[in-house]
Amino acid sequence: MKVAVICGSQRKSSQTAKVGQYAVNHLTDLGHDTYFLDLAVHPLTNFDDSFWSEPSGTLQTQWQPISDELKSADALIVITPDWHGMVPSCLKNFFLYCGVKETANKPGLIIALSASTGGYLPVAELRISSSKNNRICWIPDHLIIRNVKACFNTPCPSEDKDDTYIQARFSHSLGLLLQYAVGLSGVRESAVADYKTYPFGM
């Protein structure tokens, strides 16, 4: 199985990337393939309508290799910091690029990070506004990693009880994501979704 891990921070060497690398390492240890996209290292140009009007333009050119990786993925993990209670603009921009070919009927796990005690508002924002046209299926589980600077700093749970708990909770949520990927593969393989007739969500 292949899982795409998307790091939605614009800061290089961020806590988001740290957690993303942990996810990649964990998935690799379980024998799964991964695709790791750190939007701070590989930023996408702000989306505009030239994406459709210029098939060989800059936007399409930079998006195509990412699109190919997402098309071959079975599930996504999307990691976002909490910036003033919001998802960073680079991650919102990423979802403007995504279409049904990349993410439709694929399960997604949201992981939100906070340096203090926040993190819930980005989860709500992604659930409300990121899936309308690309049809990603956010699973009911999500993770909020509070005081993230003290967590996921070692491959194994530290002696800190909060870090131990959240790493175990991560493993639980990941197991659910992988099972959703198995279940939703049947939806993708069927002919039930007619996105030519109904390309946009309601």
Side-chain angles (χ1 to χ4, degrees), residues 107-187:
L109 171 64
I110 298 171
I111 301 179
L113 315 179
S114 174
S116 56
T117 58
Y120 66 94
L121 287 171
V123 174
E125 183 178 356
L126 284 173
R127 289 193 184 280
I128 289 169
S129 66
S130 62
S131 60
K132 173 180 172 287
N133 289 341
N134 60 58
R135 276 38 176 246
I136 190 172
C137 295
W138 297 120
I139 69 172
D141 254 41
H142 60 257
L143 286 176
I144 300 176
I145 304 173
R146 299 184 169 96
N147 301 309
V148 66
K149 291 181 181 179
C151 300
F152 292 90
N153 293 318
T154 57
C156 300
S158 69
E159 294 180 0
D160 182 273
K161 65 178 182 179
D162 292 334
D163 190 21
T164 301
Y165 170 79
I166 201 65
Q167 290 196 38
R169 187 67 183 258
F170 169 83
S171 295
H172 176 263
S173 295
L174 180 60
L176 285 169
L177 177 72
L178 296 174
Q179 285 302 308
Y180 272 101
V182 173
L184 284 173
S185 64
V187 176

